[in-house]
Amino acid sequence: MALKKLIAVRVDPNLCVGSGMCVSSHPDRFAFQPDGHATYTATVLDESAAREAEELCPVSAISLVFDEEEKF
Amino acid sequence: MTAAVVNDDLLDDEIVQNPSPYYAMLREHYPCHWNERWRGWVLSRYEDVYNALHSPKFLADRITSWYQNRLTAEERERYKVTYDALHSFVVFTDPPDHTRLRRIFARAFTPKAVQTMRAITEEMVTWHLDQWEHGKTIDLNAEFAYPLPANVISTIIGARREDLDKLQHWAEAITTLLLAGVGDDTRLDRAQAALIEFKAYLKELYDERIDNPRNDMMSWLMEVQRQDPLLTEDDVLHSCIILLNAGHETTQTLICNTLTTLLDLPKELAFLRANPQSMKTALEEGLRFNGPLKGTIRLAGTDMELHGEHIRQGERILLLMGAANRDPAKFADPERFVPTREPNPHLSFSHGIHFCLGAPLARMEAEIAFNEMLRRFPKMEVRSDVRWESRILGRSIQAPIHLHLG
């Protein structure tokens, strides 16, 4: 069985345009950096918030990284 | 400051036809320039334009000050409908209104939603190209660049096919007001008449969908409205108007500018014909190189200082994305069109909270259109002179553009 565990929420700074869709929908999870890009700032990994933000992002800059503990 | 040596006529034909040298001079010597003729500040460096687009001190609502300061009491009364509509256009609002309005589109324009629009676009591109014959010359604007995005966005919203002409007429009247380059006293009246008819038409579509939602943008927006008590019916109708408007003018210009630029570069064109997967980056380069908008306007929300100049609250500021996009401090070899340039953080879709809602749709439309055109008509060429329109904000080529299909 493949156990998928969320290990990180990434915002690609080369793609992020600072539209703020993630920040306005989940202000307790995402925030703007001084350079205008958004990052995931919460210490807990909130998969449903991250998934929603991933879907709302107009430039597909957000990705969820999973640790796939699959057989080798 | 030796501003006297700077040409403040932004419509000077030399600048309009080839803005690069002018932009370079501004970036280098007058990065924060008071343009006496235009009565506002001009920013041209990438870093400054970028920061302004991301800063809450630069306000996007330039409608309220226009309405309150430029119009007489009588005019304010007469054009209240126009003001109310424009004031609720997401491009002219600042937070918190902006945040509320932008939410309408949150689910309507995600990259995923755009994939569902792909079928409509592919069908329309095929339909257009099927009518073209090798050896013929077409009017690129009239026969493709204008009708394609207009029909795609109208269809996505849910307009009836037989009404497309009416929609285009209304959209044009509103766009003319918004791009207000040239003084035309009738444009406010025309825009207001168009807004009223446009809204009444969209209200019909809205009412038809209250009990019978369909798979179209109007229904999606209504669904968002149902779940969000802060959104009103007017918000939905005005949002449809702005979508139809934005979908008309800018995508048309994107297609014309990028195709014309590409057809002038045989080596790059040959590369793209052989590598259609590179069309994505080539398109971004087209946006950077000759994007549909040279600039956008903001108002200073507070007094501020930039490069030793004092900007006072309420003064207007022209952010030259066109100049920022060719800033050597940000882009290597900025005056060269590099189809594989990556990353390409151009500002042509704006940046920050006003980043173009329709960007994923515009990108998809242009990519499908260009790849299919190159595949079917590999030898096409532009047979008319490229002359740029005399506009302060927009950058578009004068019609007609004669495209020989080869």
Side-chain angles (χ1 to χ4, degrees):
Chain A
M1 193 182 82
L3 253 172
K4 285 169 81 183
K5 186 177 166 245
L6 182 65
I7 53 167
V9 181
R10 289 218 180 108
V11 183
D12 185 335
N14 285 324
L15 295 177
C16 178
V17 294
S19 78
M21 297 306 304
C22 57
V23 179
S24 65
S25 54
H26 295 285
D28 52 340
R29 299 287 184 249
F30 292 88
F32 284 124
Q33 297 308 105
D35 66 1
H37 295 134
T39 51
Y40 189 83
T41 49
T43 42
V44 288
L45 289 168
D46 180 342
E47 187 169 337
S48 85
R51 275 202 191 282
E52 193 188 4
E54 178 192 30
E55 200 172 291
L56 292 178
C57 179
V59 289
S60 304
I62 299 172
S63 54
L64 280 63
V65 186
F66 291 97
D67 175 22
E68 296 199 28
E69 291 175 13
E70 282 174 295
K71 70 227 174 267
F72 289 98
Chain B
M1 199 173 89
T2 49
V5 302
V6 178
N7 183 353
D8 277 348
D9 182 4
L10 294 167
L11 295 178
D12 183 321
D13 197 53
E14 209 173 298
I15 296 174
V16 168
Q17 299 310 323
N18 179 24
S20 264
Y22 182 69
Y23 289 167
M25 183 267 301
L26 285 178
R27 276 193 315 258
E28 216 166 300
H29 302 292
Y30 308 97
C32 180
H33 172 66
W34 173 261
N35 184 311
E36 183 60 34
R37 187 167 174 148
W38 185 72
R39 306 289 307 163
W41 297 94
V42 180
L43 304 188
S44 47
R45 287 187 185 169
Y46 185 93
E47 194 189 1
D48 295 329
V49 175
Y50 179 94
N51 288 339
L53 290 172
H54 284 267
S55 165
K57 289 182 193 163
F58 290 75
L59 306 178
D61 178 12
R62 52 266 196 203
I63 299 298
T64 302
S65 95
W66 162 78
Y67 181 74
Q68 283 169 357
N69 305 330
R70 298 275 202 94
L71 300 185
T72 63
E74 194 188 317
E75 284 172 327
R76 279 201 291 277
E77 182 64 35
R78 190 152 120 221
Y79 299 117
K80 189 170 184 313
V81 179
T82 303
Y83 171 72
D84 286 343
L86 296 185
H87 189 57
S88 76
F89 278 13
V90 68
V91 289
F92 297 130
T93 56
D94 297 294
D97 282 345
H98 176 273
T99 317
R100 176 180 66 89
L101 286 168
R102 180 100 192 199
R103 270 211 297 266
I104 301 182
F105 299 102
R107 279 168 201 290
F109 256 114
T110 60
K112 247 188 211 163
V114 168
Q115 287 311 311
T116 67
M117 302 171 193
R118 188 169 270 273
I120 295 174
T121 307
E122 280 172 347
E123 187 208 328
M124 290 207 174
V125 168
T126 304
W127 183 86
H128 278 283
L129 269 59
D130 279 351
Q131 336 230 340
W132 300 352
E133 288 168 42
H134 286 278
K136 289 264 167 63
T137 298
I138 61 153
D139 178 336
L140 179 60
N141 261 308
E143 293 179 56
F144 188 63
Y146 184 81
L148 174 76
N151 291 344
V152 167
I153 192 68
S154 309
T155 309
I156 288 170
I157 284 189
R160 296 177 285 258
R161 210 162 253 239
E162 63 269 25
D163 297 327
L164 297 184
D165 283 348
K166 274 196 287 191
L167 265 67
Q168 293 180 4
H169 169 76
W170 295 326
E172 254 169 36
I174 297 165
T175 303
T176 307
L177 176 71
L178 297 183
L179 291 181
V182 210
D184 171 0
D185 293 340
T186 60
R187 64 187 147 83
L188 254 172
D189 288 313
R190 284 186 57 225
Q192 176 141 308
L195 273 168
I196 292 168
E197 288 177 40
F198 206 158
K199 206 169 147 182
Y201 174 81
L202 291 169
K203 170 86 170 99
E204 275 175 41
L205 300 186
Y206 185 100
D207 289 344
E208 282 169 17
R209 282 157 180 74
I210 291 175
D211 295 321
N212 299 298
R214 306 180 193 184
N215 186 27
D216 56 32
M217 180 81 72
M218 175 69 88
S219 308
W220 303 337
L221 298 183
M222 288 168 71
E223 180 59 29
V224 178
Q225 185 212 338
R226 257 194 292 277
Q227 293 174 12
D228 193 329
L230 290 176
L231 295 171
T232 65
E233 177 186 304
D234 265 7
D235 288 339
V236 171
L237 300 181
H238 292 158
S239 298
C240 286
I241 293 180
I242 193 166
L243 280 180
L244 279 157
N245 256 56
H248 273 70
E249 179 90 14
T250 46
T251 314
Q252 170 198 8
T253 311
L254 168 63
I255 291 173
C256 291
N257 291 9
T258 304
L259 191 67
T260 308
T261 304
L262 270 175
L263 292 181
D264 203 30
L265 300 165
K267 229 178 71 195
E268 285 76 4
L269 201 60
F271 169 79
L272 285 172
R273 246 182 248 120
N275 301 280
Q277 73 280 7
S278 288
M279 189 54 84
K280 266 188 183 10
T281 52
L283 196 62
E284 295 306 308
E285 183 68 342
L287 279 156
R288 181 189 74 85
F289 208 71
N290 279 320
L293 287 173
K294 288 182 279 198
T296 186
I297 298 170
R298 293 290 186 269
L299 293 186
T302 169
D303 288 359
M304 48 190 145
E305 194 160 323
L306 191 61
H307 299 297
E309 305 286 349
H310 300 282
I311 301 176
R312 276 177 309 188
Q313 183 176 5
E315 286 179 332
R316 52 180 197 163
I317 303 154
L318 176 61
L319 306 177
L320 285 178
M321 288 99 76
N325 284 343
R326 294 191 184 211
D327 188 340
K330 187 69 184 178
F331 299 95
D333 211 354
E335 300 296 334
R336 204 161 71 85
F337 185 101
V338 183
T340 52
R341 192 184 289 273
E342 204 172 23
N344 192 341
H346 65 75
L347 304 178
S348 294
F349 282 128
S350 185
H351 235 257
I353 61 169
H354 291 285
F355 181 80
C356 176
L357 283 163
L361 176 61
R363 284 173 161 142
M364 181 197 69
E365 286 180 275
E367 193 194 341
I368 293 174
F370 291 160
N371 272 335
E372 193 60 10
M373 284 171 93
L374 280 186
R375 193 178 66 80
R376 291 208 209 180
F377 302 97
K379 289 184 180 146
M380 61 188 164
E381 55 180 320
V382 176
R383 290 253 171 110
S384 48
D385 288 338
V386 172
R387 294 270 313 156
W388 298 92
E389 287 277 7
S390 184
R391 284 182 178 173
I392 290 180
L393 301 181
R395 180 154 168 85
S396 53
I397 298 166
Q398 283 173 15
I401 301 170
H402 294 302
L403 182 71
H404 183 70
L405 296 172

